[in-house]
Amino acid sequence: MSLSNIEEKVYFASLDSGAVKFETIKTWGIASNGTMKVVMHNLVKKGYFQRIKKGVYIAKKPGEPPLLDALYIAENIYKGYLAFSTALFIHKLAEELPFSIYIATKYASYQRTEGAYKIKAVAMGNRLLGTTKVDDYNVSTMPKTIYDCFHLPQYSGGYPNILKAVFNAKMNEKQWKEFMRYVEKFRSYAFCQRTGYMLSLLKKETKINIPDSVINFMEAQVKYDVALGNGKGNYIKKWNLTDSLGRGKLLSWWYHG
């Protein structure tokens, strides 16, 4: 579908701008405000732009998969950061992006559909911290991503997927220290018991370099009876934990490739 001269100017000026506001487009001086409203309407109708909310647009790059649109849309609709399994994908700790795109927010949880993807905003409260920029996306840092995933595994593909991500991340000492800042700041006995047990299992079986200080700190938090999974399982006295998942499932990706 052909573009007018004005439409071409707006489109190419916006290609590398990510999400762009109508107020910003007006400052470019390409056309009057009235004309620009018509231009943006036509560009959306022709499929060159997508309106992600009132007055905010994103230009679709030629041949760009809809996924990138969805990631930008998720980031710009909600005030937060791309998180959980989405962040694992962005950090290259997961090979595929699930059709649910997660963004961590302060208080509110929402869900909307964008093409083939579901965008889910997850309220994190005072845990909304620890971000960086990766490929222009606002995303949780690698250590914060790992922490968030252990905190809410239902948004992260489950514990086996998280343990595989930890193995692939091969975090250095500085990154483990950042991870532990979140563990200590939001200290939880159950979190430490479950996470400590799984990290100790991961270290023992794969020989991955996880600092002893990490596991020792979590072992010192053992207090209540906790469960990993549902139903009957093996009781791990050291962690006061009933493992209903089992190492075979937790580390299936390691044992079977």
Side-chain angles (χ1 to χ4, degrees), residues 204-242:
K204 179 180 179 181
E205 295 296 308
T206 70
K207 310 305 178 185
I208 187 176
N209 184 24
I210 300 175
D212 290 337
S213 58
V214 171
I215 295 174
N216 290 341
F217 175 87
M218 293 186 179
E219 185 180 351
Q221 311 306 309
V222 172
K223 188 172 184 179
Y224 303 112
D225 290 330
V226 299
L228 186 66
N230 299 314
K232 296 180 179 180
N234 293 324
Y235 177 70
I236 313 299
K237 184 178 180 180
K238 180 178 180 179
W239 294 97
N240 201 8
L241 175 148
T242 300

Side-chain angles (χ1 to χ4, degrees):
M1 193 175 295
S2 61
L3 298 177
S4 69
N5 184 51
I6 295 177
E7 289 171 347
E8 281 187 353
K9 288 182 178 179
V10 174
Y11 176 68
F12 288 112
S14 306
L15 267 180
D16 296 317
S17 301
V20 60
K21 296 181 179 180
F22 182 75
E23 295 299 319
T24 301
I25 296 174
K26 290 193 301 182
T27 66
W28 297 344
I30 297 174
S32 67
N33 291 352
T35 299
M36 194 57 68
K37 288 181 180 179
V38 175
V39 167
M40 295 310 298
H41 173 79
N42 289 339
L43 285 169
V44 171
K45 187 175 181 180
K46 292 177 180 180
Y48 286 88
F49 273 82
Q50 187 163 356
R51 186 172 69 179
I52 61 177
K53 62 181 180 180
K54 186 176 181 179
V56 182
Y57 304 84
I58 187 168
K60 294 186 175 182
K61 295 182 180 180
E64 183 178 79
L67 161 62
L68 298 183
D69 289 346
L71 289 174
Y72 275 118
I73 290 167
E75 183 178 348
N76 285 279
I77 287 177
Y78 308 110
K79 294 180 179 179
Y81 57 81
L82 294 167
F84 306 112
S85 58
T86 307
L88 292 179
F89 175 79
I90 293 174
H91 284 297
K92 297 180 173 57
L93 300 179
E95 296 176 358
E96 297 181 359
L97 179 76
F99 284 104
S100 292
I101 295 175
Y102 294 102
I103 186 156
T105 63
K106 187 71 171 178
Y107 298 119
S109 296
Y110 300 99
Q111 179 173 312
R112 65 177 281 173
T113 300
E114 196 63 49
Y117 298 93
K118 289 182 179 179
I119 299 175
K120 296 183 179 181
V122 180
M124 295 288 284
N126 60 355
R127 285 182 171 85
L128 193 75
L129 74 170
T131 65
T132 188
K133 282 284 187 179
V134 177
D135 297 331
D136 292 329
Y137 297 122
N138 188 36
V139 61
S140 50
T141 64
M142 188 181 291
K144 185 54 163 47
T145 297
I146 299 300
Y147 171 83
D148 286 348
C149 288
F150 276 120
H151 173 56
L152 294 173
Q154 65 268 38
Y155 303 130
S156 312
Y159 287 126
N161 193 54
I162 300 168
L163 291 175
K164 183 178 181 180
V166 174
F167 179 82
N168 290 335
K170 293 180 171 59
M171 293 193 294
N172 57 35
E173 185 177 352
K174 181 179 179 180
Q175 290 171 317
W176 277 112
K177 284 182 178 179
E178 181 186 342
F179 172 81
M180 288 306 297
R181 286 203 302 270
Y182 306 123
V183 173
E184 294 177 25
K185 181 178 179 64
F186 306 110
R187 189 173 306 191
S188 161
Y189 295 119
F191 176 93
C192 287
Q193 287 171 249
R194 294 189 184 101
T195 305
Y197 164 67
M198 287 186 284
L199 290 179
S200 66
L201 183 63
L202 180 67
K203 181 174 182 176
K204 179 180 179 181
E205 295 296 308
T206 70
K207 310 305 178 185
I208 187 176
N209 184 24
I210 300 175
D212 290 337
S213 58
V214 171
I215 295 174
N216 290 341
F217 175 87
M218 293 186 179
E219 185 180 351
Q221 311 306 309
V222 172
K223 188 172 184 179
Y224 303 112
D225 290 330
V226 299
L228 186 66
N230 299 314
K232 296 180 179 180
N234 293 324
Y235 177 70
I236 313 299
K237 184 178 180 180
K238 180 178 180 179
W239 294 97
N240 201 8
L241 175 148
T242 300
D243 180 5
S244 300
L245 299 177
R247 70 174 60 191
K249 182 175 182 178
L250 289 170
L251 299 176
S252 57
W253 51 271
W254 173 256
Y255 295 137
H256 308 297

